[in-house]
Amino acid sequence: MTSPHPVAPPTAEPHGPANAALEVLSTVFGYDSFRGDQAAIIEQIASGGDAVVLMPTGGGKSLCYQIPALLRQGTGVVVSPLIALMSDQVAALEAVGIRAAFLNSTLERHEAQAVEQQLLAGEIDLLYMAPERLVLPRTIDLLHRAELSLFAIDEAHCVSQWGHDFRPDYMGLSVLADAFPTVPRVALTATATEATHQELTERLRMEEAKHFVSSFDRPNIQYRIEPKATPREQLLRLISAEHEGESGIVYCLSRKSVETTAKWLSDRGIPALPYHAGLDARVRQDHQERFLRADGLIIVATIAFGMGIDKPDVRFVAHLDLPKSIEGYYQETGRAGRDGQPATAWMAYGLGDVVSQRKFIDSGEGNEQFKRNARSHLEAMLALCETVSCRRVQLLRYFGQDMGSTACGNCDICLNPPQTWDATVAAQKVLSALIRLDRERGQKFGSGQIIEVLLGRENDRSRQSRHEELSVWGIGSDLSEKEWRSALRQLLARGIVDAEGDYGVLVPGAQAGPVLRSEAAVELAVDRTPAKPSRSRSVRGGGASRAADGLEIAERERFEALREWRTSVATEKQIPPYMVFSDATLVAIVQTRPASVGALSGVSGVGAKKLAEYGEGVLAALGGSAA
Ligand code: ADP
Ligand code: ZN
């Protein structure tokens, strides 16, 4: 039943396959227990059944097919959309002693032939392939001549035509059901919506599969959204106060702001590289590789960056612009902290974001239905931004998972609850100003000029149009300009004010009526000053690493010593540092304080192969730092 295997011969099986799985988990991967549904999924596939797995990023999907592939006879074929990442995926498996390979167009003819020979000789545990190659008759024929343990279809949501990552090549994968009826198949994705789930089940012909839907919560990610004032400065503060020397992703909407932000950070001594679809493919690939390999590099990117990026130690994801939907936001922020260590999802958003996105939707291509969709995505995103209750509760509710009313304790709202104020009169003043300007002057303005009128501040435009004669001139002088900006942003998010036309001029929104008639009260959040530190931050020194949260000062020094050792090993072997050991494992080593190689073997993430390879080096690095 068990395949002959160089590192992990799951020797005796006193209590059945579940025990064999645990043994592989511990000897090969160095972990001592399964997470969530992992054990059940592995059992389902190992015993020959199909499975559909919905699990958030970082949930541990890979083990769900890697372990069954080791337990079953033959080779597991992994379908993965991104050729560029295959060699890293294979290297990560080889690092723990698994016999892995890939077949794709980057291989020379003779290299591909060698892999095919190994496959036929039963010498490969896991074989990676892109869908377009898999469905070629030649490949199907090759696979028929090999012994197969399973098919794992990674990023299975790519088969969904209505999803955000549709790849036509995934459609062809439906042939596997008929071509290999006896080989178990497992489809995996981190996309949570029920619509995608149903669609992929149908298109991949997984009628007989067992379905495993995990909680989509990512408890180690701290969600924070703050008003945009000077976004780059705010970002810089986040990095230098909480994430110095750590890896992160910064998302911007436009290519231009990607370029300028990357340069701006570099100029300030923070290593950052741009990534967007306008860059030459070679440059893009190079930047991606450097990001994966370096410890502590920041990538500034448009949403073109990220799918399939398995880097587990991304410590923060920052958004400098408002994402278009909660789905997008959750996918992007989900790339932080895959290793389960503390990570930050931070976003700065402002009035301008709301106005420009509304404008973008209205003036964009697409029919009414499409625009309505886009608008409702944006509304949901805005509601998340302007909420005065726990962000995680809202996020999960959006994905149909109810945490009840339990606040999470790890978002900015929970850590630092906003105060609210009765803004009914302020909202009426804004609406009156919009109405008077329109009726009496035939004018509509963006937020800047509206605030000038509310404050009664003269400028060329107001002089020309004699705004000071209007009854609304200066009626808002009780609030500051900053407070008005905050109020306008929140009124926009709630549809009390709307933005229209090419210039995003403000008009009364759909919800304005009841407010004007004093039938609805408006409660707004007091503006939060951008630099306000979160409570968790105050316990850390500047420049401390989030991964090392919870470590004592002396332990942090040992952690840093281990990171240095890891960088030198990774550089020498030309692999990313996380393939040596993850941050989580480094933290566990520091806390265990192993005095011998034997003691090290009990640490989570230290499997047999890595123990033999790195044990002495780790002890030496720890010894050196203790002095
Ligand atoms: P996903 O593909 O779902 O995003 P991965 O398979 O990359 O997640 O796993 C995320 C991280 O969690 C990896 O570093 C992995 O080694 C680790 N991991 C997975 N399962 C376990 C486990 N049972 N115990 C400890 N760590 C685990
Ligand atoms: Zn919360």
Side-chain angles (χ1 to χ4, degrees), residues 262-316:
K263 176 160 190 318
W264 191 90
L265 286 173
S266 305
D267 288 347
R268 277 149 193 82
I270 307 229
L273 294 173
Y275 186 103
H276 58 72
L279 289 172
D280 183 74
R282 276 212 314 278
V283 174
R284 244 178 14 229
Q285 176 71 16
D286 174 56
H287 288 185
Q288 172 171 308
E289 254 160 40
R290 278 157 70 186
F291 175 68
L292 292 175
R293 276 173 177 46
D295 216 358
L297 188 65
I298 290 169
I299 200 115
V300 185
T302 56
I303 53 169
F305 179 78
M307 185 167 76
I309 296 289
D310 280 346
K311 191 174 168 63
D313 56 355
V314 174
R315 296 267 67 88
F316 70 93

Side-chain angles (χ1 to χ4, degrees), residues 316-624:
F316 70 93
V317 169
H319 282 92
L320 287 185
D321 295 301
L322 185 71
K324 293 189 176 67
S325 68
I326 291 191
E327 283 90 340
Y329 171 76
Y330 208 62
Q331 279 248 336
E332 286 145 27
T333 55
R335 293 174 186 134
R338 294 171 79 116
D339 55 8
Q341 295 295 295
T344 310
W346 176 90
M347 174 169 125
Y349 108 103
L351 188 55
D353 287 310
V354 189
V355 173
S356 66
Q357 292 226 14
R358 289 240 167 112
K359 197 172 85 185
F360 185 78
I361 294 169
D362 290 342
S363 61
E365 317 245 302
N367 58 23
E368 239 346 274
Q369 174 63 34
F370 178 86
K371 289 184 178 178
R372 243 198 319 274
N373 248 339
R375 258 182 244 126
S376 71
H377 278 302
L378 179 62
E379 307 288 74
M381 190 64 224
L382 287 177
L384 176 72
C385 292
E386 297 295 357
T387 183
V388 287
S389 61
C390 176
R391 303 219 197 259
R392 192 180 312 269
V393 168
Q394 285 227 8
L395 276 168
L396 292 175
R397 191 179 301 138
Y398 184 83
F399 293 116
Q401 297 189 341
D402 209 344
M403 295 178 44
S405 53
T406 334
C408 77
N410 194 26
C411 72
D412 54 349
I413 304 276
C414 285
L415 290 167
N416 190 4
Q419 290 173 329
T420 57
W421 58 293
D422 181 351
T424 313
V425 173
Q428 289 169 339
K429 287 177 180 175
V430 171
L431 293 170
S432 309
L434 300 180
I435 292 167
R436 292 280 156 212
L437 281 163
D438 188 15
R439 280 202 201 136
E440 292 174 29
R441 294 288 185 274
Q443 292 175 325
K444 289 177 181 168
F445 293 108
S447 56
Q449 186 68 13
I450 299 296
I451 292 174
E452 298 294 287
V453 170
L454 287 167
L455 293 174
R457 289 203 299 219
E458 276 192 23
N459 57 23
D460 287 349
R461 248 193 258 174
S462 60
R463 272 189 294 272
Q464 266 168 24
S465 310
R466 302 185 330 281
H467 285 164
E468 77 283 356
E469 292 169 15
L470 297 174
S471 61
V472 292
W473 180 253
I475 50 167
S477 54
D478 52 329
L479 298 183
S480 69
E481 177 179 340
K482 188 160 164 281
E483 287 166 324
W484 277 119
R485 290 193 76 79
S486 159
L488 278 179
R489 197 189 64 230
Q490 298 182 62
L491 294 173
L492 263 163
R494 297 186 191 188
I496 295 171
V497 169
D498 205 349
E500 70 172 27
D502 283 352
Y503 300 100
V505 295
L506 301 186
V507 294
Q511 310 301 323
V515 176
L516 276 169
R517 294 190 297 272
S518 295
E519 289 162 13
V522 181
E523 196 80 9
L524 295 184
V526 172
D527 195 42
R528 290 130 100 52
T529 39
K532 193 168 270 176
S534 81
R535 217 177 284 165
S536 69
R537 191 175 108 188
S538 56
V539 298
R540 304 174 5 182
S545 152
R546 279 222 86 146
D549 263 13
L551 291 184
E552 315 262 325
I553 304 237
E555 289 178 332
R556 256 179 230 177
E557 278 169 19
R558 288 197 289 278
F559 177 78
E560 289 307 324
L562 285 177
R563 272 181 83 187
E564 262 173 47
W565 164 82
R566 180 176 69 176
T567 306
S568 68
V569 173
T571 313
E572 189 194 306
K573 302 191 117 173
Q574 298 192 317
I575 55 174
Y578 63 81
M579 281 187 200
V580 179
F581 283 126
S582 69
D583 281 359
T585 299
L586 293 192
V587 167
I589 292 175
V590 165
Q591 284 168 336
T592 316
R593 306 198 62 170
S596 65
V597 172
L600 195 58
S601 76
V603 174
S604 176
V606 185
K609 179 160 189 242
K610 289 187 180 178
L611 183 69
E613 216 166 335
Y614 303 134
E616 297 293 345
V618 166
L619 291 181
L622 285 173

Side-chain angles (χ1 to χ4, degrees), residues 134-209:
L134 175 55
V135 299
L136 295 178
R138 193 183 167 278
T139 313
I140 299 278
D141 181 54
L142 172 75
L143 293 179
H144 272 299
R145 286 182 285 133
E147 184 173 22
L148 301 184
S149 57
L150 56 85
F151 286 105
I153 301 166
D154 208 3
E155 312 284 358
H157 62 279
C158 289
V159 78
S160 159
Q161 253 181 312
W162 312 112
H164 49 90
D165 277 332
F166 176 57
R167 292 179 179 239
D169 292 321
Y170 263 68
M171 294 287 226
L173 295 174
S174 61
V175 304
L176 296 179
D178 287 332
F180 301 92
T182 59
V183 180
R185 291 172 300 139
V186 48
L188 311 102
T189 175
T191 295
T193 54
E194 189 46 38
T196 313
H197 182 183
Q198 276 181 14
E199 199 180 346
L200 77 87
T201 303
E202 252 165 61
R203 291 195 195 282
L204 295 176
R205 309 251 332 260
M206 303 289 276
E207 304 87 358
E208 308 282 310

Side-chain angles (χ1 to χ4, degrees), residues 25 31-35 38 55-63 310 312 338-339 582 604:
L25 181 73
Y31 300 136
D32 45 38
S33 58
F34 285 113
R35 285 185 187 159
Q38 278 177 333
M55 208 185 260
T57 312
K61 285 185 285 300
S62 327
L63 292 186
D310 280 346
R338 294 171 79 116
D339 55 8
S582 69
S604 176

